[in-house]
Amino acid sequence: MLFLLFMTCSNNKASELILSTAYFPNVEYFALINLFDGVMIDVNETFPKQTYRNRCSILTANGPLNLVLPVSKPNGNKSLTKDVTIFDREKWHLNHTRAISSAYSTSPFYIHYIDEFIGIFDNKWDNLVDLNTEILKRLLAILEIDKNICFTDDFIPVDNDHTDFRFTISPKVESNLTAFNEYTQVFSDRHIFFPNLSVLDLIFNLGPRAKDYLNNVADKILNS
């Protein structure tokens, strides 16, 4: 049985991966989770702009598309991630479900997994971290990744620790693209391969083989 533990953790960084919360995280995010026994998610940081905390990238007929959650920061630029809320629910809810369905309806494993994700959207979410946590739980279950995951009880200062990926997994930072082997994506007949999209792309296209792909990426990251 898959065991997932979400709780508040002490800020002891030894041998634990440090991540930000993320909206349908990318392949790299889950490959890194595979490398560590424990995962700490920092929810006490000051919420930064234009990151994967409230966006993801999927592949459409026109190429990669960013799905962005509209958020509200109650304390302006000093707002902590744990306090950030979501607004304009009906608009983003409909736009994101339609975009995901349009992008992946012809993928090999769409019918096997789409209900898992549509079920998430059926609920009303006010808090960004709550939504992202539910998404993470479902994705880990689908990928059969068994990890202890906890939330920081305070902000962890940035000190370039090799286990800290809060700010390096970012749309503004290019990943090591050699870590991502090509697989057949929807619309591969008209586009080059796009690596490191939301793990949704991996799940809908590879299904049960998605975990093996993540293990391969993790090995390449470890040996790079």
Side-chain angles (χ1 to χ4, degrees), residues 13-34:
K13 297 191 295 180
S15 74
E16 290 197 328
L17 174 66
I18 310 173
L19 294 171
S20 68
T21 186
Y23 179 64
F24 287 110
N26 62 15
V27 171
E28 182 181 14
Y29 191 99
F30 284 94
L32 286 167
I33 287 176
N34 265 348

Side-chain angles (χ1 to χ4, degrees), residues 4-7 33 39 41 136 140 147-151:
L4 301 175
L5 177 61
F6 285 78
M7 58 183 291
I33 287 176
V39 180
I41 296 179
L136 183 58
L140 290 171
K147 294 291 177 178
N148 292 333
I149 297 178
C150 59
F151 300 104

Side-chain angles (χ1 to χ4, degrees), residues 155-173:
F155 175 68
I156 300 175
V158 178
D159 61 2
N160 298 318
D161 191 285
H162 69 282
T163 67
D164 186 354
F165 289 87
R166 285 172 295 177
F167 305 103
T168 54
I169 298 181
S170 167
K172 304 171 186 176
V173 179

Side-chain angles (χ1 to χ4, degrees), residues 91-128:
K91 186 174 181 180
W92 78 259
H93 167 264
L94 293 174
N95 286 347
H96 289 202
T97 52
R98 288 171 179 169
I100 291 170
S101 294
S102 176
Y104 296 109
S105 61
T106 61
S107 64
F109 296 95
Y110 175 83
I111 194 170
H112 297 279
Y113 299 112
I114 188 59
D115 287 346
E116 281 288 326
F117 305 123
I118 296 301
I120 295 173
F121 294 130
D122 285 342
N123 293 326
K124 185 180 186 304
W125 299 96
D126 295 316
N127 181 271
L128 175 65

Side-chain angles (χ1 to χ4, degrees), residues 22-24 50-57 66-69 171:
Y23 179 64
F24 287 110
Q50 299 179 345
T51 72
Y52 291 127
R53 289 158 181 80
N54 67 314
R55 73 181 59 207
C56 68
S57 184
N66 287 327
L67 300 180
V68 183
L69 283 173

